[in-house]
Every structure is written in C-alpha cells, then in structure tokens.
C-alpha cells in the first residue's frame, strides 16, 4: 500500500510541474537518446514503455572500469558480483535477479547477437574489450522476452560495438597496474560513403589479487558495413578470443579465523581456458515505404576446459551455435496515426560436446556426452501512436518451441561398467507485453507495462551423469508489472523512478539440501529504483542512484517470507565528474551495498554477508589526440567480498575476497 501511495504522489507531482520554456525544450530535444534494444529498431527512449539506460563510450572512458560489469555497477537496479575480481566470471542481475541465477535471467547481446551459453559456464563479460564499445544499452524488465525469448526475465544488456567511419582513424593505448597488471590495445577504422571497416585487438594480463588468480585475455575482431545503395547493404562482424585464468576457490569463515590470508587459495592448481570465435552476417533490404527486411546469420564456436585438480576432475565443453533470425520492420500510418510493426523469427541450434574425467583414487570414470538444443520462436511487436507526439501503445507476443536431446555415455573405470542414456525433452512457451507511454514533454515520460517472460533450464540443470535427465524440471514463468517516470526538470537535471513487481512460478534454482536443480513454486521480487543525472555545468556532472528490492519466497519447501539469497535489499551509488584547467578531468564514484543473506542460504539461517562501501577515482589529462590517466580502485581499502555463499555442509559463510586498494595508469592516442 505504501508503494502504491508513493507511486501516486510521485506521478501526480511530476505531472503537475510546469513545462520548460521553449528555449529549454530545444536544448533538451538535442539530448534525445535513441536505443535499438527495446524494439529491435532505433527508437527514442522517451517512447519506450520500459526503464532504459544508455552508457556511451565517453562515459566508459571517464571511469576506472576494466570490464563491462565494472561499467554497469553504477546503474540503478543492477547488482554485480565478481567472483574472481577480474570480470571473467562476474554475474549481473537486474531488478532483483541476483545471486546464483543472475546469469540465467539476464540476456547479454553484442550487436544483437546472443552471448548466453546453454550450460552453467555463464556469460563471458570479457569477450568484448571496452575500447571497442560505442555504447551499452540496458533495458530492465521482462518485456524484452517478446523480442529475444529465453534468459531475459531480468532484462537485456546490449553492447553496440564501434563501426568504421569515413576517412582513416586509429587508436593505440596501454596501461599498467597493481598485481602485475598490464594491457595493450590498438585499432584502426576507415571508410567512405558505401563501405566502412573497423578492426581492433587487445591483450591483458594480471596475476590477480589472490593466489592462483591470474587472468590472460586476448581478443581480435572487427566490423564491416557495405552500403552500395540506399536500398541494400550488409553488416558483418566477427571476433576471436582466448583466455586462461586461475580458479582460487572460496575461503571458509573458519579458515580465515584460523589465520588463512584472504589472498590465499586452497586450490592453487585449478584453472580454466577458453577459445572462442564468431561470425555474424546481416544483409538487409530497405524498401522505404514497403518496410525493411533483415536476415541475421550467426555461427559461434567456443571451447572451455576446466581443471578442478583439487577435486580430481577435468571437463571439456565444446559448443557450436547456429542462428538464423529474419526480421521485417514496417513504419506506416494506421487510421492517420504513426504505427511501427516488427515481426520476425529466431532459430537457434546449440550442439554441446562434453568430455569429463574423474580421477579420484577410488572413483575413476569418464563421460562422453552429446547435447542438442533447438529453439524456434516467432514474434510480433507493434507500437501505435494514439495521440501525436504524446501517447503510445505497445503490444507484443512471442511463441517459442524448445527441443532438447541428450545422449550420454558414462564409463566407470574402477568397475569396468558402462552406462548409456538417450532421451529428449521439449517445451512450448509464450511471452507477452503491453505498455502505455505518455511523453508529456521532451525527454520526459510516464509509462505503465505488463509482461510475461520465461526461462528454460540449462543443460547442467536438466542433466546429471549421476541421475540422468531431470524430467521433473519445468520452465520458469514470470509476470512483470512496472510503472515508471522519466522527468527532465531542466536541461541540467533528469530523474528516473521505476516501481516494479515480478511474480514467478516454478523458478529454477539449485536446492543445496537435496543437491538437485528444481523448481520453486512461487517467488516475488518488488522494489523501487531511483536515479538522477545532473550535468550542472559544462565542467561539472553529478549522478546518483538508489535501489530497494524485497525478494521473497511465497510458498514451497522453505518458509514463506524468507528472502531470496544473494540479493541485496538496498544499493546506492553516486558520482562526480569534474573538468578543470582545460585539459584535466577528475571522476569519483562511490558504491554501497547493504547486507544480505548469502547465496544458497534459502533457510535464512546463516549470518548475513556484510555490507560494504567502495570509492574509485580517476584523473585524466587530455590534450588534442593524446590522453594519460591514473586511477585508484577501492580508494579507502575496504576489505570485502563481492561473492559470498552459505555452506550448508559446514553451516558457515564461504567467501570469494575482492581486491583491496589497487592502482592503474595508462596512455592512449586517438587519431
């Protein structure tokens, strides 16, 4: 009831504010942001019935961020947990989808290409270097499931990479930092009126904060755009990436109490390697009033080898991904009103080959498994202008079929026995969204929306070498209710507020008491997100955000009203960007996270993970095409852990300690 009252007061108060003066309107209109993620075509954010954040390359360069999760930490409603402190295996949760399932409920796109894997290897957030990013779009809420299908219950993060531009341009840079960190990058772009090419490469290396915490990462990629006429063209993007990183593991509270250093590792020989390459081809035909056809063609191949020598186990996964995504967009008038219709089809096939070996003294075995997942989804999404430049109605629907096929062979070397299993599963799923957006002045809107989303199980959730196919596991289904406000008080002050509720049926989670992946009957996430952006002067910009989430279990094996573990109920951030003496820029950003029940503590019986506060700062000198910078992360040397789990075996907390104060300096030249 309090939430509803707050909503009414906020919206009425905002609508009662007088419109800005005409001169202000003109200036505000220049600042209009356009996104493609919310509708799969370019659309002003003020017409989208969703909470949207846009992060530009300039925003990224101003911070000390080294990875995309670092960039996202400052945004309202986004909860980042970095297990290794390097960004490689970080999880990003949106709208209360934190903890161990964050990576399964947040969809990552790169130029519209799905990055999420079909197994528990998670999202590789280091696949795209920051210097290659033009902007990052974040669309909160499950409405995006209509356009993108699986994994979008929390929202979508779409990384838009840099394209070539007319002329010749190049950049080169590098940096040094704590923990023997160094990074080198270079890129070139060139083009003319009908062809544009951009190519870049980077290499980074760090020993990491902890023992066995090293990370070596290399990437090379590029984009090519051919536009021989205004009617036809093709976009091509591709990349190749390889990495190697240590897996230092957790430290129990009892081990830390006994004198083990937070920088130590009890698994000094565990590590993993990745090799991945992808190619995406998107030809298009623009028929002007007849609409635009696009055909997305994708191939991706990834190989991941994990060595858990401390547990006498190795695992090799190879995933081949094929995608075909035709789409048709038409903008015309319907009874004299602007109307935009998007229809399309998404076909994906994933072939996973798994070779695993257990070499424990009394339990030697091998596993040779083949899995296939095929999904076919078709969708229609429409936005109709009810009143010119004022009121918009959006409606969308998606239907998707998913088929799994499992073929496994388990060999017990100790006994000489062999077990084979062949089985299949299939699901038929739907997503829906409806929204109403009132754009009552430039860069200002009020919206209300309702959506339904779904998530299917990952291969590791459906299948185990010990129990076979988990036929009891059901797809997860959620209902989303949102009311939001974006209001430009002045050209130098914009505020956003989002009230949301997510009711989920059959939420997929790992039950630590039964050691199985199962469904939780009912859960609820509801909360409020606030953010402010204030470019007060040409030389001063202030920003801030606050998020409150109430994540609850509604019914099931655990007590109703228990908090969903791994989700902080309160988060806040603030930033100051100051330009001075013509060439200098200072950026200071602070973050606070409240205490929370540790991951896996579904009974809410253990100690809560501590709250923490960190401050990062960066000083940049920029003269013409030359840039030099120095940064400090965790300025006040907070000793905290970004990722904390509850051990149901020893009934205590287990920590993945985060880096203490660390430094970074670098140079960059852009021509």
């Amino acid at each position: 009831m309090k939430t509803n009252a707050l909503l009414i007061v906020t919206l009425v108060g905002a609508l009662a504010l007088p419109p800005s003066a005409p001169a202000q309107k003109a200036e505000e209109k220049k600042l209009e942001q356009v996104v493609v993620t919310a509708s799969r075509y370019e659309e002003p954010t003020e017409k989208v019935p969703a909470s949207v954040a846009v992060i530009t390359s300039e925003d990224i360069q101003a911070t000390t961020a080294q990875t995309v999760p670092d960039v996202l930490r400052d945004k309202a409603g986004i909860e980042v947990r970095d297990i290794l402190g390097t960004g490689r295996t970080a999880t990003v949760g949106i709208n209360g989808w934190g903890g161990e399932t964050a990576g399964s409920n947040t969809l990552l796109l790169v130029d519209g290409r799905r990055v999420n894997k079909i197994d528990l290897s998670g999202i590789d957030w280091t696949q795209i270097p920051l210097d290659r990013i033009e902007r990052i779009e974040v669309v909160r809420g499950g409405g995006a499931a209509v356009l993108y299908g699986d994994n979008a219950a929390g929202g979508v993060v779409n990384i838009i990479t840099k394209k070539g531009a007319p002329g010749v341009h190049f950049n080169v840079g590098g940096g040094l930092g704590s923990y023997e960190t160094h990074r080198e990058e270079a890129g070139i772009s060139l083009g003319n009126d009908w062809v544009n090419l951009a190519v870049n490469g980077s290499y980074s290396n760090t020993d990491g904060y902890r023992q066995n915490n090293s990370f070596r990462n290399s990437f090379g990629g590029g984009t090519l755009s051919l536009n021989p006429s205004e009617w036809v063209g093709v976009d091509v993007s591709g990349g190749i990436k390889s990495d190697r990183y240590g897996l230092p593991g957790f430290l129990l509270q009892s081990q830390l109490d006994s004198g083990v250093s937070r920088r130590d590792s009890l698994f000094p020989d565990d590590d993993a390697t990745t090799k991945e390459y992808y190619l995406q081809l998107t030809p298009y035909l623009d028929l002007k009033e007849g609409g635009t056809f696009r055909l997305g063609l994708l191939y991706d191949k990834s190989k991941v080898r994990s060595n858990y020598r401390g547990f006498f186990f190795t695992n090799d996964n190879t995933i081949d991904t094929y995608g075909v995504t035709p789409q048709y967009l038409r903008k015309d008038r319907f009874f004299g009103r602007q109307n935009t219709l998007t229809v399309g089809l998404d076909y994906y096939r994933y072939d996973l080959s798994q070779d695993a070996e257990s070499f424990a003294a009394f339990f030697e075995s091998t596993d040779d498994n083949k899995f296939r997942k095929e999904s076919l989804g078709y969708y229609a999404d429409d936005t109709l202008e009810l009143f010119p430049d004022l009121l918009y109605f959006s409606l969308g629907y998606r239907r998707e079929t998913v088929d799994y096929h499992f073929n496994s062979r388990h060999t017990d070397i100790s006994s000489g026995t062999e077990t084979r299993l062949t089985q299949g599963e299939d699901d038929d799923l739907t997503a829906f969204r409806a929204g109403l957006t009132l754009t009552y002045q430039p860069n200002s809107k009020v919206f209300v929306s309702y959506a339904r989303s779904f998530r299917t199980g990952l291969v590791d959730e459906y299948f185990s070498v010990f129990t076979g196919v988990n036929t009891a596991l059901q797809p997860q289904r959620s209902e989303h209710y949102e009311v939001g406000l974006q209001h430009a008080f002045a050209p130098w002050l914009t505020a956003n507020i989002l009230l949301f509720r997510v009711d989920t049926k059959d939420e997929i989670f790992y039950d630590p008491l039964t050691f199985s992946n199962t469904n939780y009957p009912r859960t609820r996430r509801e909360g409020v997100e606030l953010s402010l952006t204030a470019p007060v002067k040409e030389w001063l910009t202030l920003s801030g955000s606050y998020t409150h989430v109430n994540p609850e279990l509604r019914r099931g094996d655990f007590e109703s009203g228990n908090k969903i573990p791994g989700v902080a109920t309160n988060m806040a951030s603030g930033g100051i960007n100051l330009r001075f003496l013509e060439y200098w820029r200072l950026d200071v950003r602070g973050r606070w996270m409240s205490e929370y029940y540790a991951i896996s503590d579904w009974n809410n019986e253990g100690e809560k993970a501590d709250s923490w506060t960190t401050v990062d700062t960066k000083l940049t000198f920029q003269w013409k095409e030359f840039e030099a910078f120095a940064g400090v992360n965790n300025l006040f040397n907070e000793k905290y852990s970004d990722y904390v789990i509850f051990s149901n075996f020893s009934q205590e907390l287990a920590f993945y300690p985060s880096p203490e104060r660390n430094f970074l300096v670098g140079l960059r030249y852009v021509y």
Side-chain angles (χ1 to χ4, degrees):
M1 198 63 179
K2 291 182 179 179
T3 301
N4 295 336
L6 174 62
L7 170 64
I8 294 171
V9 171
T10 303
L11 296 184
V12 172
L15 290 172
L17 290 171
S20 302
Q24 291 178 323
K25 284 188 177 182
E27 187 171 353
E28 286 177 315
K29 199 65 178 178
K30 290 192 301 181
L31 301 176
E32 181 179 79
Q33 289 182 325
V34 175
V35 294
V36 297
T37 312
S39 53
R40 281 198 170 188
Y41 62 88
E42 288 192 352
E43 183 180 24
T45 58
E46 62 188 59
K47 296 181 181 180
V48 176
S51 175
V52 179
V54 178
I55 306 167
T56 66
S57 59
E58 291 78 12
D59 297 331
I60 296 172
Q61 290 296 325
T63 71
T64 60
Q66 297 297 299
T67 63
V68 172
D70 291 338
V71 176
L72 297 174
R73 286 181 184 272
D74 298 317
K75 297 303 175 183
I78 298 181
E79 186 171 358
V80 176
R81 300 200 181 280
D82 192 350
I83 302 175
L84 301 179
T86 60
R88 175 59 181 85
T89 56
T91 63
V92 175
I94 304 176
N95 282 8
W97 291 95
E100 57 193 308
T101 63
S104 305
N105 292 286
T106 299
L107 177 62
L108 175 62
L109 307 172
V110 177
D111 293 327
R113 173 179 64 89
R114 293 179 67 95
V115 175
N116 297 55
K117 302 302 182 187
I118 63 168
D119 62 354
L120 284 172
S121 60
I123 295 173
D124 181 3
W125 291 95
T126 62
Q127 186 179 115
I128 300 297
L130 294 185
D131 62 290
R132 196 183 174 211
I133 297 175
E134 179 65 31
R135 70 182 187 275
I136 301 173
E137 299 178 358
V138 180
V139 179
R140 303 174 178 89
V146 166
L147 295 170
Y148 301 104
D150 206 357
N151 303 121
V156 177
V157 178
N158 190 12
I159 298 174
I160 312 296
T161 59
K162 293 178 179 177
K163 307 298 188 292
V168 178
H169 310 271
F170 68 87
N171 67 276
V172 62
L176 300 171
S178 303
Y179 319 127
E180 302 297 324
T181 298
H182 66 86
R183 174 184 172 80
E184 299 80 40
E185 62 187 45
I188 185 170
S189 71
L190 48 91
N192 54 33
D193 291 339
W194 67 274
V195 59
N196 291 285
L197 173 68
V199 179
N200 79 308
S202 67
Y203 176 76
S204 61
N205 184 1
T206 182
D207 287 345
Y209 169 67
R210 300 177 59 195
Q211 181 187 5
N212 191 31
N213 200 187
S214 63
F215 180 46
R216 319 279 186 258
N217 187 43
S218 61
F219 174 84
T223 60
L224 173 66
S225 296
L226 299 173
N227 306 284
S229 76
E230 61 178 344
W231 300 90
V232 66
V234 61
D235 294 323
V236 183
S237 64
I240 182 169
K241 176 254 171 70
S242 65
D243 65 34
R244 184 183 187 91
Y245 53 98
L247 299 169
F250 59 81
L251 295 172
L252 294 171
Q253 181 66 64
S254 57
Q255 293 167 339
L256 294 170
D257 292 341
S258 68
V260 174
S261 169
R262 68 193 313 270
R263 299 187 66 172
D264 284 346
S265 170
L266 302 182
F267 308 95
D269 300 318
D270 291 359
D271 62 13
T273 59
T274 304
K275 292 184 179 180
E276 182 169 6
Y277 59 86
Y278 71 91
L279 179 66
Q280 182 170 255
L281 181 70
T282 310
Y284 64 87
L285 177 65
D286 188 353
L287 299 177
K288 305 306 177 183
E289 291 81 3
T292 302
F293 291 93
R294 290 183 177 273
L295 176 62
L297 301 171
L298 166 70
Y299 175 69
D300 181 290
K301 188 180 190 70
S302 66
K303 296 182 178 181
V304 179
R305 178 175 178 81
S306 304
N307 301 301
Y308 298 98
R309 297 180 179 90
F311 292 96
F312 307 101
F313 180 76
T314 63
N315 186 74
D316 287 280
N317 276 9
T318 300
I319 302 177
D320 292 281
T321 303
Y322 309 85
V324 180
T325 58
Q327 176 193 340
Y328 173 69
L329 168 69
R330 184 182 179 94
K331 295 183 178 182
D332 55 16
R333 303 192 73 82
F334 181 75
F335 289 103
R337 304 301 187 197
Q338 291 182 6
N339 187 76
T340 303
L341 173 66
T342 306
V343 295
L345 180 149
D346 295 329
Y347 170 77
Y348 287 96
R349 193 184 89 184
Y350 307 86
D351 292 327
L352 188 155
S353 175
Q354 180 186 60
D355 295 308
E357 180 182 2
S358 176
F359 46 91
F362 301 102
F363 184 71
E364 293 185 76
S365 66
T366 61
D367 289 278
D368 181 12
N369 303 317
K370 309 293 183 185
F371 308 112
R372 172 172 291 179
K373 176 183 177 181
E374 288 186 280
S375 65
L376 178 62
Y378 54 89
Y379 62 87
D381 194 76
D382 190 83
T383 299
L384 174 65
E385 179 188 60
L386 298 180
F387 295 96
D389 297 321
L390 181 65
L391 189 63
Y392 301 86
F393 177 64
S394 300
L395 188 67
Y397 176 81
R398 182 186 189 93
R399 189 176 187 90
E400 185 163 326
T401 58
V402 183
D403 294 311
Y404 293 89
H405 184 75
F406 306 91
N407 192 335
S408 70
R409 182 179 65 185
H410 175 77
T411 303
D412 188 333
I413 298 176
S414 303
S415 64
T417 60
E418 182 177 282
T419 304
R420 292 177 178 266
L421 173 68
T422 300
Q423 195 167 336
E425 286 287 316
D426 62 86
D427 294 307
D428 192 356
L429 304 158
T430 60
F432 171 83
R433 75 166 179 172
L436 199 62
T437 308
L438 175 68
T439 58
Y440 55 91
Q441 69 176 31
N443 289 326
S444 299
K445 69 177 180 181
V446 175
F447 71 87
V448 58
S449 69
Y450 169 78
R452 294 177 182 172
S453 69
F454 60 84
R455 176 171 96 80
T456 60
L458 302 174
V459 167
D460 312 75
E461 294 169 328
Y462 267 123
F463 179 82
S464 167
V465 296
F466 303 105
T467 60
V469 178
N470 185 1
T471 57
L473 191 68
Q474 298 296 312
Q476 167 186 303
R477 293 176 170 86
S478 299
E479 292 185 277
H480 307 256
Y481 309 84
E482 295 185 358
V483 179
L485 166 71
Q486 174 183 309
H487 184 74
F489 293 95
W492 53 268
L493 179 61
T494 301
N496 290 272
I497 179 172
L498 173 69
L499 298 175
F500 67 90
R501 171 179 289 177
V502 185
D503 288 328
T504 301
K505 177 183 179 182
D506 293 329
E507 180 168 339
I508 300 173
F509 80 110
Y510 177 75
D511 189 336
L513 303 182
T514 62
F515 307 104
S516 64
N517 294 287
T518 185
N519 297 106
Y520 204 86
R522 292 284 192 275
T523 64
R524 171 172 289 177
R525 294 165 173 85
E526 58 184 354
V528 58
E529 299 170 4
L530 303 168
S531 65
L532 289 171
T533 304
V536 180
K537 297 288 184 181
E538 212 175 286
W539 50 270
L540 176 64
T541 299
L542 307 176
S543 61
S545 71
Y546 169 74
T547 303
H548 172 74
V549 180
N550 183 27
E552 283 190 347
L553 304 177
R554 304 296 288 179
R555 68 179 74 162
D557 294 338
F558 302 105
E559 185 175 342
S560 181
N562 275 12
K563 302 300 181 185
I564 298 173
V567 181
T569 53
N570 295 283
M571 298 183 295
S573 68
I576 301 175
N577 190 274
L578 176 67
R579 296 177 180 270
F580 60 99
L581 298 179
E582 189 175 357
Y583 305 116
W584 294 88
R585 182 173 70 241
L586 177 66
D587 188 83
V588 181
R589 294 174 187 267
R591 305 176 191 91
W592 169 78
M593 180 177 289
S594 69
E595 61 181 11
Y596 60 93
Y597 285 103
I599 293 170
S600 291
D601 188 8
W602 295 89
N603 272 322
N604 292 180
E605 58 185 330
E607 291 185 36
K608 288 185 177 181
D610 290 337
S611 64
W612 51 263
T613 303
T614 61
V615 176
D616 302 335
T617 183
K618 182 179 183 181
L619 181 64
T620 303
F621 173 81
Q622 189 167 12
W623 180 70
K624 296 184 177 179
E625 294 86 10
F626 174 80
E627 179 181 284
F629 63 86
V632 184
N633 291 310
N634 197 357
L635 180 64
F636 298 107
N637 206 29
E638 178 92 346
K639 291 179 173 58
Y640 72 105
S641 295
D642 215 10
Y643 200 90
V644 183
I645 64 176
F646 178 72
S647 171
N648 286 274
F649 177 75
S650 60
Q651 293 290 296
E652 59 181 318
L653 297 183
F655 301 89
Y656 291 80
S658 299
E660 298 175 38
R661 183 189 297 118
N662 59 93
F663 304 88
L664 183 70
V665 297
L667 300 172
R668 194 164 184 261
Y669 182 81
V670 180
Y671 173 78

